[in-house]
Amino acid sequence: QVQLVESGGGLVQPGGSLRLSCAASGSIASNYIMGWYRQAPGQQRELVAAITSGGSANYADSVKGRFTISRDNAKNTVYLQMNSLKPEDTAVYYCNAVLRTILGTKLREYWGQGTQVTASS
């Protein structure tokens, strides 16, 4: 059984920075795509950033230039460095690991429990 455990959330003033970490316990093959999603109250969960085992990353337009996703395959850990945080970044952030076929069919997916990020003065 795979578990994803997030850490690093908290309260920060607008313009500040936070670094989220997500450690996978159990066996996560390196070919899983790992990513971060977020969900604000009353809104749908949205993709923030995702990264392949080879290091290819994609970002939501709203966070490009401010957030950086990275991963350490040896440690089964993915990170999200968040800089220049804005009040609209406030949400619960969820770690995600997904395995897809070459055609994009989802085979397996795991979610973390979520960590609160609040950017407020």
Side-chain angles (χ1 to χ4, degrees):
Q1 181 69 18
V2 173
Q3 287 188 321
L4 303 179
V5 180
E6 302 108 331
S7 60
L11 173 64
V12 65
Q13 291 191 342
S17 298
L18 283 174
R19 188 191 194 210
L20 305 183
S21 298
C22 171
S25 63
S27 179
I28 286 278
S30 62
N31 55 350
Y32 275 73
I33 298 170
M34 299 192 74
W36 292 93
Y37 286 72
R38 67 185 180 187
Q39 187 168 20
Q43 297 189 18
Q44 290 188 333
R45 191 173 296 189
E46 63 175 357
L47 176 66
V48 176
I51 186 168
T52 68
S53 59
S56 295
N58 64 287
Y59 298 90
D61 287 343
S62 58
V63 307
K64 282 181 181 177
R66 300 188 298 122
F67 290 11
T68 302
I69 189 170
S70 61
R71 67 188 285 173
D72 184 334
N73 291 328
K75 295 182 178 180
N76 281 340
T77 301
V78 63
Y79 307 95
L80 186 68
Q81 177 66 44
M82 305 184 293
N83 298 329
S84 303
L85 281 160
K86 304 175 181 180
E88 51 264 43
D89 294 317
T90 296
V92 178
Y93 283 69
Y94 296 91
C95 180
N96 173 267
V98 62
L99 179 65
R100 296 184 182 273
T101 69
I102 196 169
L103 297 179
T105 302
K106 190 182 300 182
L107 294 177
R108 292 192 185 91
E109 185 172 35
Y110 302 100
W111 291 94
Q113 81 286 353
T115 185
Q116 178 70 45
V117 171
T118 303
S120 174
S121 54

